[in-house]
Amino acid sequence: MTGIEEASLERAPLEWDTPLFHTAVSQFEQALPYADVDEHVAERLRYPERAVVVSVPVHLDDGSLRVFPAYRVQHSNVLGPTKGGIRYDAHVTLGECAALAMWMTWKCALLRLPYGGAKGGVRCTPRELSESELERLTRRYTSEMMPVIGPQEDVPAPDMATDEKTMAWMMDTYSMQKGYAVPEVVTGKPISIGGSVFRAEATGVGVVMVIERACQRLGRPLEGATCVVQGFGKVGGVAAQDLVARGATVVAVSDLSGAAYREEGLDVEALLDWSHNQHRPLIERDDCNHVTNEEMLELPCDILVLAALEEQLTAENAPRIKARMVAEGANGPTTLGADSILAERGIPVLPDILTNAGGVTVSYFEWVQDLGRLFWSRDEIRARLGEKMADAFDRVWELSESRGLTLRRAALVVGIREVAEALSARGIFP
Ligand code: NAD
């Protein structure tokens, strides 16, 4: 029994102790036997380094005042500043941020980015807030977090319901308090204030880079492969477009309204225009068939890309999945139960911490460009992203083959090893 656990038993449970945090810790425990980690180092990594709770008062447009709970959790700063998104969501908790922060640590380490993991959020219903209310919320949240964020401390990015506008407000608030422009305090900013070209496409393109490499290793050509893409937003939309560019056939895509399906292949460009430019639901297209989101997950295809939200493949539907490969563009779309069923059925799952890491990798490039005040071209960024994704993929694939691990377990082990080695070298202070 460890000190921090004993303390929690004597008093109340620890503040971040939630089911999602338990899932993150269980995955860590399951990976540990393969990671050769010193027990003291492992014990340190079971806990977030810092968890901050603040309350954010906001004057609403109707003159009333509301106070929103808000969080920032930093899991590990062993390798460098912590890095992770800020989400605006009605269900965000300290435990959710702690779990996501831990996953960010493994993801950054797997990609060999000099970062640890963090995650933050404000508990609110963003669609019920006007733009000016969101701006006041963001600016006050940033002010409350001033003591713990910074280019060398903790670098936020967009996540659920936050975007480049949110990052512009954060960058401006931080810069106003410092007295000079500090673009490197956040990533995912507009290009006009130090954002990076190619950041918007990076996650979706990275997903396809990983799929392409997996197809090569498995000896299955991507050209001509049939693909189903759940979620047609920033990640799924770009992934679908890039799959088509590489000669694959996208037979189904979905948004919240349902799925558009055409066995001979969809016109992805037309659907992107419909969905992203005209903001219309896919269900209203009359030139394709429609199935529900649940049904589309079970369509026969070569590659199923999950790019919507968490917990989509479960122990309940995993036995009926007909895809020959699953790629996780979203975070946590496959439950632990579904994972073991898919493994038993021999369906490879390309895990989120590898597959969707293109976003944080180009965020890292954005931070480096901001710090150096020197900006790279689109082609240069795409090439560097390709190198990083291929290198991480190969390390995961080789460990998976040599130790007989699933790709998810191998990805976690590779990430954990990087952090543990650094912590062992540095030692635990004092
Ligand atoms: P987004 O909001 O742009 O798109 C989400 C898409 O999923 C939308 O098309 C939405 O209609 C659809 N959707 C929502 N609920 C659905 C449901 N129940 N069934 C089917 N579709 C549904 O978000 P995004 O940025 O594309 O993120 C998608 C996922 O990828 C999230 O899990 C996010 O955490 C993860 N991710 C995103 C990035 C990034 O750079 N944007 C990076 C890493 C991971």
Side-chain angles (χ1 to χ4, degrees):
M1 179 81 38
T2 63
I4 200 161
E5 277 170 337
E6 277 166 19
S8 78
L9 287 179
E10 283 165 19
R11 303 191 191 102
L14 293 171
E15 287 71 10
W16 51 76
D17 238 338
T18 61
L20 199 68
F21 186 67
H22 284 184
T23 303
V25 174
S26 303
Q27 287 183 351
F28 175 66
E29 301 293 355
Q30 288 166 11
L32 272 183
Y34 306 94
D36 312 316
V37 178
D38 172 85
E39 181 41 39
H40 289 182
V41 167
E43 177 61 0
R44 177 70 193 107
L45 294 173
R46 286 188 180 101
Y47 300 92
E49 283 176 4
R50 181 185 273 154
V52 182
V53 183
V54 295
S55 55
V56 179
V58 179
H59 285 293
L60 301 186
D61 295 343
D62 66 4
S64 64
L65 184 94
R66 266 194 73 183
V67 181
F68 298 92
Y71 312 98
R72 185 73 179 166
V73 178
Q74 299 163 350
H75 173 253
S76 168
N77 69 7
V78 173
L79 288 165
T82 51
K83 184 93 194 75
I86 307 276
R87 54 176 55 181
Y88 290 174
D89 184 64
H91 305 287
V92 67
T93 63
L94 190 73
E96 180 178 282
C97 293
L100 291 160
M102 186 183 268
W103 284 320
M104 277 302 287
T105 297
W106 314 142
K107 186 188 295 189
C108 293
L110 166 59
L111 269 289
R112 294 197 164 143
L113 310 179
Y115 286 144
K119 204 76 172 190
V122 180
R123 196 182 299 175
C124 64
T125 308
R127 64 177 179 279
E128 289 173 3
L129 297 172
S130 69
E131 184 166 316
S132 55
E133 289 167 341
L134 284 170
E135 177 173 352
R136 289 193 288 276
L137 174 84
T138 303
R139 288 185 180 279
R140 182 60 190 255
Y141 173 80
T142 309
S143 291
E144 295 293 338
M145 291 298 169
M146 280 294 289
V148 297
I149 61 171
Q152 299 302 335
E153 289 90 15
D154 181 9
V155 184
D159 195 72
M160 277 162 60
T162 54
D163 55 17
E164 59 172 42
K165 197 180 290 172
T166 323
M167 293 305 111
W169 293 326
M170 288 194 82
M171 178 270 186
D172 185 67
T173 305
Y174 188 89
S175 300
M176 282 296 147
Q177 303 209 18
K178 288 287 174 190
Y180 48 89
V182 189
E184 58 273 23
V185 69
V186 291
T187 61
K189 300 174 293 292
I191 289 173
S192 59
I193 55 168
S196 178
V197 290
F198 204 65
R199 172 63 188 88
E201 304 95 303
T203 309
V205 169
V207 168
V208 178
M209 287 173 172
V210 171
I211 291 174
E212 197 170 28
R213 215 156 173 92
C215 285
Q216 282 165 4
R217 292 293 185 122
L218 291 165
R220 304 176 189 171
L222 177 56
E223 202 175 336
T226 52
C227 308
V228 167
V229 183
Q230 188 204 32
F232 201 51
K234 295 187 284 292
V235 179
V238 172
Q241 197 173 30
D242 213 39
L243 283 166
V244 171
R246 265 142 232 291
T249 306
V250 174
V251 295
V253 297
S254 72
D255 62 14
L256 201 48
S257 72
Y261 174 48
R262 206 164 162 269
E263 221 179 313
E264 317 79 77
L266 293 164
D267 181 347
V268 170
E269 289 301 328
L271 292 177
L272 279 172
D273 179 54
W274 180 266
S275 179
H276 290 214
N277 299 335
Q278 301 180 45
H279 306 287
R280 299 187 64 180
L282 291 170
I283 200 83
E284 285 177 11
R285 284 291 291 204
D286 52 18
D287 58 350
C288 20
N289 304 313
H290 294 284
V291 292
T292 65
N293 257 299
E294 292 72 35
E295 288 163 343
M296 75 106 68
L297 294 175
E298 298 173 24
L299 289 172
C301 62
D302 294 309
I303 301 159
L304 170 61
V305 181
L306 302 170
L309 65 173
E310 58 281 358
E311 299 189 336
Q312 293 305 292
L313 301 190
T314 62
E316 197 276 319
N317 64 4
R320 299 191 299 275
I321 299 303
K322 296 180 197 74
R324 297 173 66 214
M325 182 198 291
V326 174
E328 296 185 331
N331 285 314
T334 310
T335 65
L336 290 174
D339 230 10
S340 31
I341 294 170
L342 295 172
E344 273 166 32
R345 294 185 56 210
I347 300 172
V349 178
L350 309 179
D352 48 6
I353 65 166
L354 170 67
T355 312
N356 69 28
V360 71
T361 303
V362 176
S363 272
Y364 161 62
F365 296 159
E366 178 177 335
W367 179 75
V368 170
Q369 292 172 82
D370 288 339
L371 286 170
R373 301 292 193 265
L374 181 67
F375 292 88
W376 309 340
S377 73
R378 213 182 158 71
D379 288 347
E380 193 171 355
I381 294 175
R382 195 184 171 113
R384 284 178 190 261
L385 175 66
E387 278 170 29
K388 279 262 175 219
M389 297 299 286
D391 172 55
F393 179 92
D394 291 349
R395 282 181 283 121
V396 170
W397 191 271
E398 267 130 43
L399 185 72
S400 155
E401 294 274 289
S402 65
R403 301 290 299 264
L405 304 178
T406 62
L407 292 168
R408 184 185 315 284
R409 178 83 41 93
L412 284 166
V413 171
V414 172
I416 291 166
R417 275 184 185 169
E418 295 277 333
V419 186
E421 206 174 304
L423 185 50
S424 293
R426 286 182 57 167
I428 293 174
F429 181 81

